[in-house]
Amino acid sequence: MRIVGGLDVHRRPITFDYLDERTGQQRRGRIAPADRMLLRRWLQDTVVDSPAAFAVEACTGWRFVVEELQRAGIEAHLAEPADTAAARGPKRRAKTDRTDARHLRELLAGGRLPESWIPPEQVLEMRARLELFRDLREEHTAWVQRIHAILLHQGAPAIAGDLLGADNRRRLEAGEQLSPAGRQAVATALRILDALDAELGPLRKQIAAFARRQPGCKALQAQYGVGEITAAALWAELGDTRRFSSSRKAVRHTGQDITVYSSDGKRPPGKLSRQGSPLLRWALFEAAKCAARPGAPDHAYYRQVADRLGGNRAALSVARKIARRAHHTLRALGDEALAAV
């Protein structure tokens, strides 16, 4: 007999619902605010000399909850959000935090919880670094585009080549054909770009150094178009691919599979599911864009799809092929794929 419960995590409260199978006593309530130390004290007071298992959905905030459950010696289960919602069935009443926690507890107690993989700490840390890298890169790109927009808006000649190259930078700093406000905006953008580059440089080196040492990342770089950064992202987000029974399920995990709704012979065009990690989809798309090069192994396939549907659709098709190959590569390595470095 044990304690079985569910935890519904939000930014402010954690709603709990658990059943003590020894006494038949059921308790529910809230832990607020939702922070590590308060959860730790609650677990110490709740689980006393009794085996316990708790389920939590794999949504934002699950990491510290699972870490505290494991620290307390409690069996932690991570639930896949989409499958957990589907297991609820048709909605017959209002959805609340309490019903969500009870739903997790009932699925866990009945052995029907759709389990998600709990990554080791090394994978979680690399995911955090890669998300930071991607956020900085996107902000860097946004400020470069802002400079181009300022030049167009003020009628200044367009800049060809590297916007931040030495010659172009001198021209931007001079503010040729720009109003005083335009020169101020460009100067501000250049300073922000310099600050972003100062953060991106060391972070890129840190991730690349890890990718050169880690066996799974090294194996992934054998694929054309997969570099050190994208290899680290594929490795961190795909994780232990042995949990996928086929490469098709690995593609579904990436969120790049096509979902179709049909009824009575009527079927609108399919669309990407976009479930799962945006970081993983970004890495796959960046690697797949290299198929546009004439020397790429997938270039003929890329051109065939691009001529019919366009370059973006072609890159998505190649991205699925890369995801399948990455699945087989990491699966073949076994335990070595996640070896600590």
Side-chain angles (χ1 to χ4, degrees):
M1 306 297 283
R2 59 177 184 167
I3 293 176
V4 181
L7 298 171
D8 186 56
V9 182
H10 289 280
R11 183 64 190 92
R12 292 183 179 178
I14 298 176
T15 304
F16 64 84
D17 186 304
Y18 70 87
L19 173 68
D20 190 334
E21 295 179 340
R22 298 170 302 175
T23 62
Q25 188 178 35
Q26 180 182 344
R27 292 185 179 273
R28 63 175 65 93
R30 288 154 56 101
I31 304 168
D35 63 47
R36 184 182 293 271
M37 297 310 299
L38 189 58
L39 175 62
R40 182 178 299 179
R41 289 195 295 271
W42 181 83
L43 290 173
Q44 291 171 350
D45 296 338
T46 302
V47 184
V48 181
D49 299 328
S50 175
F54 277 84
V56 58
E57 275 191 297
C59 299
T60 302
W62 70 262
R63 177 179 176 177
F64 85 92
V65 176
V66 168
E67 288 175 347
E68 287 306 313
L69 289 172
Q70 293 174 337
R71 181 183 181 277
I74 297 172
E75 188 179 326
H77 294 263
L78 194 60
E80 208 290 321
D83 292 340
T84 300
R88 184 178 289 107
K91 187 167 69 172
R92 297 184 179 87
R93 60 184 64 85
K95 177 182 176 298
T96 65
D97 295 346
R98 284 190 173 188
T99 60
D100 286 345
R102 184 177 70 243
H103 180 57
L104 287 169
R105 188 253 302 167
E106 290 172 347
L107 290 177
L108 180 60
R112 298 180 293 113
L113 186 76
E115 299 270 359
S116 185
W117 181 59
I118 300 179
E121 183 179 2
Q122 178 179 236
V123 175
L124 292 173
E125 288 294 286
M126 182 50 61
R127 284 183 181 180
R129 291 190 182 98
L130 287 161
E131 287 168 358
L132 173 60
F133 178 84
R134 178 170 169 263
D135 289 342
L136 291 173
R137 279 298 313 164
E138 288 183 346
E139 188 171 351
H140 190 281
T141 300
W143 280 99
V144 169
Q145 292 172 341
R146 188 179 183 89
I147 291 176
H148 283 296
I150 293 170
L151 297 178
L152 173 62
H153 189 60
Q154 301 225 349
I159 288 182
D162 181 10
L163 182 74
L164 300 178
D167 293 337
N168 289 333
R169 175 138 193 161
R170 281 193 293 270
R171 176 185 154 190
L172 289 171
E173 290 173 346
E176 298 175 3
Q177 301 184 32
L178 295 176
S179 70
R183 286 194 293 271
Q184 182 183 8
V186 168
T188 301
L190 290 174
R191 287 195 298 272
I192 294 175
L193 286 171
D194 289 340
L196 291 171
D197 283 331
E199 297 293 338
L200 277 166
L203 184 58
R204 183 185 289 106
K205 291 179 181 178
Q206 185 181 14
I207 296 172
F210 175 86
R212 288 193 294 269
R213 299 193 311 270
Q214 212 287 325
C217 295
K218 289 167 63 178
L220 289 171
Q221 291 175 64
Q223 279 201 68
Y224 187 91
V226 178
E228 293 166 339
I229 302 296
T230 49
L234 292 177
W235 171 83
E237 293 297 339
L238 286 174
D240 188 355
T241 58
R242 291 173 295 184
R243 70 190 193 276
F244 303 123
S245 60
S246 67
S247 60
R248 178 181 59 82
K249 292 186 178 180
V251 172
R252 183 189 176 199
H253 173 74
T254 69
Q256 292 185 325
D257 59 325
I258 303 298
T259 60
V260 176
Y261 176 83
S262 62
S263 177
D264 193 26
K266 298 178 181 179
R267 171 181 152 172
K271 59 181 181 180
L272 291 180
S273 68
R274 287 191 174 86
Q275 291 183 351
S277 167
L279 175 64
L280 178 55
R281 289 194 294 277
W282 167 79
L284 287 169
F285 192 79
E286 288 294 312
K289 288 193 296 186
C290 296
R293 301 170 185 169
D298 293 315
H299 180 68
Y301 175 74
Y302 175 89
R303 283 265 45 99
Q304 179 185 357
V305 179
D307 293 341
R308 186 164 53 93
L309 299 172
N312 282 343
R313 296 282 288 276
L316 285 172
S317 297
V318 175
R320 296 187 194 101
K321 293 168 74 74
I322 294 174
R324 291 189 179 94
R325 293 172 190 151
H327 163 263
H328 292 303
T329 298
L330 295 174
R331 189 182 183 91
L333 283 175
D335 293 335
E336 189 182 1
L338 293 172
V341 295

